[in-house]
Amino acid sequence: MPHLPDVLLWSIPAFVLLAVIEMVSYRLHPDEEAKGYEAKDAATSVGMGLGSLAFDALWKVPIVAIYATIYELTPLRIPVLWWTLPLMLLAQDFFYYWSHRGHHVIRVLWACHVVHHSSEKFNLSTALRQPWTTWTVWPFYVPMIALGVHPAVIAFTSGANLVYQFWVHTERIDKLPRPFEFVLNTPSHHRVHHASQGGYLDRNFGGILIIWDRMFGSFVAETERPVYGLTKNIKTFNPLRVATHEYAAIARDVRAADSWRERAGRVFRGPGWSPAERAGAGEIPQAGPPEAGARASVQEPAA
């Protein structure tokens, strides 16, 4: 088994230091338009991050077992070398793009990912607001395992991808020089991703590279100032409700459904989906491509 560092664990002190520096920067140089920090919101984000570490350790047991089984069954092997590791990081970023996009357009997956978008602030603490149900992510990386990538490499590259994305959760960095903005996911691109305006919804899914969004038609440049959060914000700082509110909303919709087709749609269609007959009776149908309106899901009432 390749011996690769736990980059996420080693990066935690840097996360804390950079977040403190950002907080101080708002004190020294306030920005009336920037959202900045709110104590309860930041505490919730940190709590969600700590909870995700505990739950990820729990989900890791069956996921590693599945990955290990697939790895043993495939005859292929990709060695961990100085030149193969960057290629595997590139492949992981590609599959991350599709995982991220899938978690916006399929409601049961969105129920996991909505946690990360639930803050109305956008700062480095927002990067720590991670879901507790990441068991929905592992299927997207099965192709890499089947091609002979060791499960430990998936863990390493996924951690590296997550560490990279920490710094893009800020309003303190404006647009970077054009070559960087063209290739990389930057704070400007990720501000768009966290925005709740209609033109910004469900765009810029890239992790490290923004080229996937340019290639697959999901890129939008930052023009107007983003409004962060969900299209219907949950107005709660309770970590348990932040982690589960969309699952509860799905359960309510499934119970109220009139048919098995509607029940399936409430789970596997887009977060804002509703059957045509109900839309005609007063519900507003979603417009645009399948990924449009993914944050318009029914949310739990505020605490």
Side-chain angles (χ1 to χ4, degrees):
M1 183 178 74
H3 296 286
L4 297 168
D6 187 337
V7 290
L8 187 58
L9 186 64
W10 282 98
S11 299
I12 289 176
F15 290 170
V16 175
L17 177 61
L18 290 172
V20 170
I21 292 173
E22 187 183 44
M23 290 181 198
V24 172
S25 78
Y26 276 109
R27 293 280 187 177
L28 298 179
H29 300 284
D31 183 341
E32 293 183 359
E33 294 185 327
K35 288 291 187 178
Y37 279 81
E38 179 184 353
K40 288 184 177 180
D41 178 84
T44 300
S45 295
V46 172
M48 297 304 299
L50 293 173
S52 74
L53 293 176
F55 280 99
D56 282 353
L58 177 64
W59 306 134
K60 186 180 295 184
V61 175
I63 292 171
V64 168
I66 294 170
Y67 278 178
T69 300
I70 297 171
Y71 185 75
E72 289 302 319
L73 290 174
T74 180
L76 304 175
R77 291 291 183 270
I78 298 179
V80 180
L81 303 172
W82 68 268
W83 63 273
T84 59
L85 195 57
L87 293 176
M88 289 186 281
L89 183 59
L90 180 67
Q92 189 277 335
D93 195 54
F94 172 77
F95 287 109
Y96 172 85
Y97 169 85
W98 290 108
S99 171
H100 196 180
R101 187 165 181 168
H103 277 73
H104 274 251
V105 302
I106 299 172
R107 191 180 182 190
V108 69
L109 302 186
W110 171 244
C112 163
H113 187 61
V114 66
V115 169
H116 186 60
H117 287 270
S118 61
S119 175
E120 296 178 58
K121 307 292 182 181
F122 191 76
N123 52 56
L124 292 177
S125 76
T126 309
L128 306 178
R129 186 175 288 227
Q130 296 295 320
W132 295 356
T133 54
T134 51
W135 46 266
T136 60
V137 173
W138 70 267
F140 290 90
Y141 300 105
V142 166
M144 291 184 67
I145 302 291
L147 289 172
V149 177
H150 195 283
V153 176
I154 301 294
F156 171 78
T157 55
S158 296
N161 199 312
L162 197 60
V163 168
Y164 175 88
Q165 290 186 60
F166 178 78
W167 77 281
V168 301
H169 291 81
T170 185
E171 292 187 279
R172 302 305 267 177
I173 299 176
D174 202 355
K175 291 189 176 183
L176 300 178
R178 186 173 296 179
F180 294 97
E181 294 286 340
F182 187 81
V183 175
L184 297 173
N185 185 20
T186 65
S188 176
H189 298 328
H190 208 60
R191 286 192 290 268
V192 168
H193 180 71
H194 274 258
S196 59
Q197 293 106 307
Y200 283 170
L201 278 178
D202 304 324
R203 302 295 175 182
N204 299 0
F205 300 109
I208 297 175
L209 301 176
I210 203 67
I211 57 173
W212 311 122
D213 291 280
R214 296 184 185 278
M215 289 172 62
F216 299 113
S218 54
F219 174 75
V220 168
E222 183 182 31
T223 51
E224 62 179 309
R225 196 174 192 94
V227 177
Y228 303 108
L230 306 170
T231 56
K232 297 179 182 178
N233 288 302
I234 56 177
K235 303 297 183 182
T236 180
F237 299 111
N238 183 325
L240 184 60
R241 293 187 69 186
V242 172
T244 62
H245 68 270
E246 183 64 9
Y247 291 107
I250 290 174
R252 289 195 300 270
D253 286 346
V254 168
R255 283 198 302 269
D258 294 330
S259 66
W260 284 106
R261 176 185 174 276
E262 182 183 348
R263 292 184 185 98
R266 295 293 188 181
V267 175
F268 297 110
R269 299 289 290 269
W273 179 86
S274 61
E277 57 270 21
R278 290 200 175 188
E283 292 190 20
I284 301 175
Q286 295 301 315
E291 62 268 27
R295 298 199 206 139
S297 54
V298 179
Q299 305 295 343
E300 200 166 352

